Amino acid sequence: MHEWALAESVITTVVDEIRLNNIRKVTKVDVMVGELQQIDLEIFRFALENVMKTYELSLESKAIRIAIEKNILRCEVCGKIWSFGDAGCRLGEDEAEAIHFIPEIAHVYIRCPECSSPDFEIVKGRGVWIKTIEGER
Ligand SMILES: [Zn+2]
């Protein structure tokens, strides 16, 4: 159910921003979802639309656009930069499900394709955030 918590935080951010900037009508909200975040986009969109209603936000649901940010990982040992999901490092469904609940577990399953080290930094591809909000005053 963390899609609902994420939707709540996205919508409250939008609400704060439009108050701060005296925006009357929101015309576009670009939401970015990290590829490794593993959220159910259908549930997330549904949650956004419902949370939106409770805040009586003047925003059409089609104004919300969700884009996926591809992941970028950097090996702490050899410095190799790669993307999880590239040829040869796909996850099984069980592993993907485990990462969904405990992102830190990613380090157990994902290893550097160059030196096999499990020590890497997630440079991109995690979290949910708002890239842009556009509106009319
Ligand atoms: Zn490495």
Side-chain angles (χ1 to χ4, degrees):
M1 293 299 280
H2 74 156
E3 283 85 357
W4 286 85
L6 290 167
E8 178 89 32
S9 79
V10 166
I11 297 299
T12 53
T13 305
V14 173
V15 170
D16 289 348
E17 282 299 310
I18 64 174
R19 278 189 193 145
L20 234 100
N21 296 289
N22 294 315
I23 289 168
R24 188 171 43 84
K25 185 176 187 284
V26 184
T27 51
K28 192 175 93 177
V29 179
D30 280 331
V31 181
M32 298 295 291
V33 175
E35 201 174 26
L36 297 178
Q37 189 63 32
Q38 303 263 356
I39 67 170
D40 187 317
L41 290 178
E42 251 174 68
I43 296 174
F44 184 51
R45 179 166 275 283
F46 179 75
L48 281 171
E49 285 168 10
N50 278 274
V51 175
M52 211 165 79
K53 282 178 201 152
T54 67
Y55 285 91
E56 292 172 354
L57 209 56
S58 168
L59 170 67
E60 285 176 61
S61 58
K62 69 172 184 325
I64 300 182
R65 301 193 311 187
I66 302 172
I68 302 291
E69 186 192 59
K70 193 170 167 59
N71 74 85
I72 294 180
L73 310 174
R74 194 179 60 82
C75 178
E76 304 272 20
V77 177
C78 72
K80 167 134 181 114
I81 290 171
W82 86 100
S83 288
F84 166 69
D86 285 357
C89 46
R90 275 247 166 248
L91 274 191
E93 216 165 275
D94 289 353
E95 288 90 347
E97 188 66 12
I99 290 169
H100 181 133
F101 292 109
I102 318 157
E104 282 62 38
I105 216 165
H107 291 266
V108 176
Y109 295 106
I110 305 174
R111 282 172 196 279
C112 172
E114 197 68 35
C115 70
S116 299
S117 164
D119 297 323
F120 60 85
E121 182 198 347
I122 298 175
V123 182
K124 281 185 173 182
R126 206 155 138 182
V128 172
W129 68 100
I130 297 169
K131 195 177 161 202
T132 43
I133 299 173
E134 283 177 15
E136 295 162 6
R137 284 197 171 139

